[in-house]
Every structure is written in C-alpha cells, then in structure tokens.
Amino acid sequence: MGFALSPSAQPGSRPDRPVARRHLAVAVAIAGVMIATTAVAWRYVVHQPLHPLIDLDVYKHAGRDVLAGRFGYHSGGDDLVFTYPPFAALVAVLTAPFGQWWGQFLWTVGSILALVGVVWLSFRRAIEAVGADLRPLVLGGACVLAVLSRPFAEHVAMGQVNVFMVLLCLVDLCAIRRRWPQGTLIGVASALKLTPAVFIVYLAVTGRLRAAGNALAAFAVCTGLAFVVLPAASIGYWSDAVFRGERVTGSLAYTSNQSVLGAVSRMVPAHARAAVWLVVSVAIVVIGLRRAREAYRAGDELGGAAVTAALGLLVSPISWLHHFVWLLPMVGALVADGRDRARDAWAAVVSLLLLLPLGWWGWALLDDGNHAVRAAGVLAHNALTLITIGLVVGYRPPASHAVASASVSRGTSAEVAG
C-alpha cells in the first residue's frame, strides 16, 4: 500500500517556491560577494604596484623571530618594523609557517569571512526587517559594498588586521548569545592592538564596570603572558617603543592619515597645531562619549559601539585609510531597520565617501590657481575626518521600533553587565 502526497507536498507546488527563491537569493548573494572579492584581489593584490600584503609579511617575520628567539622591536622585514604590543607577536607565530602565496590567500579569505561577520552584526536590524527571501540579498548587497569600500580594499592590499579587531569588539558587544564574560574579547583585542581599548572606556561610561574590569583583566592576562615569553621585548615596548610611533608613521600630514591630528597637520600652521589638536580632541571625546552613552541607554548598542569606534579613529594620532573599516558599523547603525529615509540617506553618503578616493582627488586640487577649486580640494582632502566628526557629534539613536529587537537580544540587564 502506498502513501499519497498531499497537494502541499507535491514537488513544484507553492510551498516549494519560497525555498527555491531563498536558495536563489543565497546563490546570487554568494556570487556577488565572490565577484567583488575577486575584483578587489585582482586590483590590489595581483596588480598591486607596491609590495602586496606588506603588513602580513611584517607579522610573519615577527612570528618567525619569536620562534627563533630573536624578536625585538626591530623585527618585521626589510621595509617596515613590527609596532604592535608583544602579545600580538606571540599570535603572529600562527602566520609564520605559511609561504607567500598561501599566506596571502588564507589571510584574504579570512579577512572576507571576518568582514561578513562585521556586516551581519552591523546590518542585522535591516536584514531582519525584510522577508526571509530577501535577507540573503540584503546581507550580500551590504557585503559587496563593504568589500568594494576603499578602507577594506586597502586592508586587503596591505594584509592588515583591523577587520579582525572590529569583529572581536562587535561580537563582544552585540552578540545575541554571549557565552563568555562581556569585555573579554575587547581586552584580547586591546592586547593585540591598543586602539580597541577605547571600548573599555565605553563600557565604563555606560555603567558596565564589571565588563570593563573583565576587559582589563583579559588585557592583563594576555600582556602578562607576553612578559613571560618575551620579557626583554615586553620591557622594551612598554618603556620605549610604545611612545615612539614617529619611527614608523612617516608624515602626519600624509593624505591617508584621516585622524584629527592628520587634518590639523594639513590645515593649521605648525605653531598652532598642538593646541588646536588638543582642544578639538578633548571636545570630540566629551561629546562622543556622551552620544555613545545616549545610544546605549536608548537600547542602541550598535550605535554606541559605532560612535565609540569613530571617536577612536578621530583621536588616534594615526588613522590610515585602512583603519576606517571601523566606520562600517556606523553605516549599519544609521540604516537601523531601514525605515527612516533621512538615516538611509546619511548612510548612503557615508558609503559613497568610503567608496571614493576623495582624499586623493582633493590632494590633486591643492595647487590649483583657482581659490574655489583649492578650497574644494581642502575639503575633499580631509573629507573622511570631517564626516567622521559630523557622525560623532550628530549621531542620535533610531526610533524605538528600530532598536527593539536589539534590546531584546541583549537579554536582561544583569546579563549585559556580566
């Protein structure tokens, strides 16, 4: 005796169509990301006129020097030296076994996967606001724009670590289910590269002192481990190298440096630069932390994290263009659930700035004899600095319906604090 299929279970019937559409959407999204990734890799790795993934070579040299027992703050290869904390040198040992081709391939693939995680956490509200059939397309479209952005393209070209740092901090702050004490991943990220330590301040000003303590404890454990394994290098770093960033930074006024100090170095006479930088930086810190706290209290954790990341970019003495992958969460925070046209328009403006080489276009106009053209060149030359200041100062949480799901996902206040 056989069993007859119900009409709803027949192959090709209507219930199968949403599944087929979803599979098609997933395939289109994956294909789009792969095409964008191939284009970026072809342009910035295969046809890179300079040394491709030069920073990855620095990490590999440092890792090999650790294994050989000769690591110090002269390590890193022929062109650049290793500037990260000693704990990062220990982690760099993982890159040591790989040759040039495999190292570049695996690092690029890892960067893409980390970027997908960053985009998911940054655009989760917008993704969840659309139907299930469209979610892969929204995620894929956002990933394509992120891959094509100039900060991420430079990240790939140089073999940088910033997208991994962004992912660690976002997972710690915005994960739906957290199975570790909050702050731990931020502490680890800060031990790898000092700039994520700005999120420890964010945890403190939002009243999560236990989480801030967890971050400091994780930072101390990682740094202490480096002291045990690399005592001489650790003493050298924390007593000297950490204060001598000028040995590797080059000119602060270089176009790619879009921090406040970089913009001040380009626009302000030398005798007034220190004072202007200090005043502007203090004002941005005070306003930025206030905006971040307001966002957190409104249930907008992503917005608070995005403002904090942008604040870190501005007050750091050096924020090269590839550091601005930290601005990707801000685009997602602006979009929120995608229902506010004004916020969507601002997100489009920021996305456009991240796609275009405005700094270099502006640099090309600085010697023009026309005053209006030259003024436009100055604005374009410092466009990322100026728009990031505007985002920090002007950010407001979205409407309550746009953050409701995020507030629920954070769980109880005790879980958040823990």
Side-chain angles (χ1 to χ4, degrees):
M1 181 171 63
F3 295 92
L5 294 174
S6 67
S8 62
Q10 296 292 337
S13 61
R14 287 187 178 181
D16 288 332
R17 293 177 185 173
V19 175
R21 285 198 300 267
R22 199 171 305 125
H23 289 168
L24 178 61
V26 170
V28 170
I30 292 174
V33 174
M34 291 181 64
I35 291 171
T37 301
T38 301
V40 167
W42 186 263
R43 166 64 181 84
Y44 290 96
V45 178
V46 178
H47 287 284
Q48 169 65 271
L50 303 175
H51 188 149
L53 279 75
I54 188 171
D55 287 334
L56 176 59
D57 279 354
V58 172
Y59 310 149
K60 289 194 296 184
H61 276 88
R64 290 166 184 167
D65 284 352
V66 169
L67 292 175
R70 60 173 181 263
F71 175 78
Y73 278 88
H74 57 276
S75 299
D78 298 329
D79 300 310
L80 295 175
V81 295
F82 192 83
T83 61
Y84 299 92
F87 179 68
L90 293 184
V91 176
V93 168
L94 299 175
T95 67
F98 297 104
Q100 182 174 3
W101 191 91
W102 271 110
Q104 292 179 355
F105 175 77
L106 293 174
W107 193 265
T108 301
V109 170
S111 296
I112 295 296
L113 294 176
L115 182 71
V116 172
V118 168
V119 171
W120 163 250
L121 290 169
S122 299
F123 290 85
R124 188 169 64 205
R125 290 177 292 196
I127 293 168
E128 292 176 348
V130 301
D133 294 350
L134 294 177
R135 288 174 186 172
L137 293 178
V138 174
L139 175 61
C143 286
V144 168
L145 288 175
V147 168
L148 295 176
S149 69
R150 288 191 65 85
F152 185 73
E154 288 210 3
H155 170 99
V156 169
M158 301 183 72
Q160 256 290 331
V161 299
N162 288 291
V163 73
F164 301 106
M165 302 298 101
V166 179
L167 181 61
L168 282 174
C169 294
L170 281 187
V171 168
D172 206 339
L173 292 168
C174 301
I176 295 177
R177 293 180 180 87
R178 189 182 303 110
R179 302 185 184 278
W180 60 90
Q182 187 178 44
T184 302
L185 298 184
I186 289 173
V188 172
S190 301
L192 289 167
K193 189 172 184 179
L194 295 180
T195 47
V198 68
F199 289 98
I200 302 178
V201 180
Y202 169 62
L203 290 172
V205 300
T206 53
R208 290 173 284 183
L209 298 182
R210 182 183 300 176
N214 294 335
L216 290 172
F219 176 85
V221 168
C222 294
T223 303
L225 177 62
F227 262 101
V228 171
V229 180
L230 301 169
S234 295
I235 293 171
Y237 178 81
W238 293 108
S239 65
D240 181 48
V242 70
F243 303 110
R244 294 194 299 114
E246 73 279 359
R247 65 198 174 100
V248 293
T249 58
S251 173
L252 291 171
Y254 184 55
T255 300
S256 183
N257 182 20
Q258 291 287 317
S259 68
V260 168
L261 183 57
V264 167
S265 298
R266 290 187 289 268
M267 294 191 292
V268 176
H271 67 274
R273 286 173 187 167
V276 172
W277 175 60
L278 182 61
V279 170
V280 173
S281 296
V282 169
I284 288 172
V285 167
V286 171
I287 296 172
L289 290 178
R290 179 179 177 182
R291 294 286 181 257
R293 185 172 57 189
E294 290 172 351
Y296 171 75
R297 289 179 174 176
D300 183 17
E301 179 80 276
L302 176 64
V307 171
T308 303
L311 170 65
L313 289 170
L314 291 171
V315 300
S316 174
I318 300 292
S319 289
W320 302 127
L321 181 55
H322 57 78
H323 293 162
F324 278 78
V325 293
W326 284 99
L327 213 55
L328 294 176
M330 177 62 78
V331 181
L334 288 172
V335 171
D337 63 358
R339 300 180 191 179
D340 188 322
R341 292 184 179 180
R343 297 181 71 91
D344 292 344
W346 272 110
V349 169
V350 177
S351 298
L352 185 63
L353 286 175
L354 293 177
L355 289 169
L356 298 177
L358 288 182
W360 303 106
W361 290 351
W363 175 72
L365 299 176
L366 295 179
D367 294 328
D368 195 283
N370 185 295
H371 292 295
V373 172
R374 193 159 60 247
V378 171
L379 291 176
H381 200 201
N382 302 284
L384 267 181
T385 309
L386 297 174
I387 194 67
T388 305
I389 292 174
L391 291 169
V392 169
V393 172
Y395 185 83
R396 296 293 188 278
S400 58
H401 62 73
V403 297
S405 61
S407 298
V408 170
S409 70
R410 285 200 325 224
T412 65
S413 58
E415 292 172 335
V416 171

